[in-house]
Amino acid sequence: MAASRDDETGEHLIRTKKYNLALVTRLLQIGFYLDQLDDSFIENMCRAAPLHDIGKVAIPDSILRKQSCLTEVECAVMKTHTSIGSSILQ
C-alpha cells in the first residue's frame, strides 16, 4: 500500500529492508545477540521493515508530497505519523 504512493516511497522501503538485513548481518558477524538473531527473527524483521512509516498513510498529501520546506505546523502534523503508526500496528 505504501509503496504504491510513488516510486520514491517504494525505493525507500526496499532500501530500509536492505539496511535492516545489513545491520543484522553485521551484528551476527561481530557476535552480538546471537541467541536472539535466528533465521525466523531476521526474516520477520526484514518483512516488517516496510511498516516503519505506516503512519504516513494518515498524513494529508498536501504535507506528505509538499516540495518545499514544511511549516512548523506541517512539521508537527508530520511528526504524528509515528504515534499513528504505533496505533495501527497495535
Side-chain angles (χ1 to χ4, degrees):
M1 179 172 66
S4 68
R5 291 184 63 83
D6 58 59
D7 289 338
E8 183 178 333
T9 299
E11 292 298 318
H12 171 69
L13 297 177
I14 291 168
R15 283 191 311 273
T16 302
K17 183 176 179 177
K18 288 180 180 180
Y19 290 146
N20 278 344
L21 185 56
L23 288 170
V24 76
T25 299
R26 182 64 181 138
L27 287 170
L28 288 171
Q29 288 172 346
I30 61 177
F32 283 24
Y33 307 108
L34 295 177
D35 57 330
Q36 296 165 313
L37 298 177
D38 61 20
D39 290 342
S40 176
F41 180 90
I42 294 167
E43 180 181 347
N44 286 334
M45 186 182 73
C46 288
R47 290 179 67 202
L51 297 175
H52 78 280
D53 273 343
I54 196 65
K56 285 185 177 178
V57 299
I59 303 300
D61 281 346
S62 61
I63 294 174
L64 201 58
R65 296 174 177 250
K66 186 174 180 180
Q67 296 296 312
S68 58
C69 293
L70 299 178
T71 66
E72 285 185 34
V73 171
E74 292 167 333
C75 272
V77 171
M78 181 63 89
K79 289 178 182 179
T80 66
H81 87 277
T82 57
S83 55
I84 293 167
S86 176
S87 295
I88 290 169
L89 294 175
Q90 287 177 359

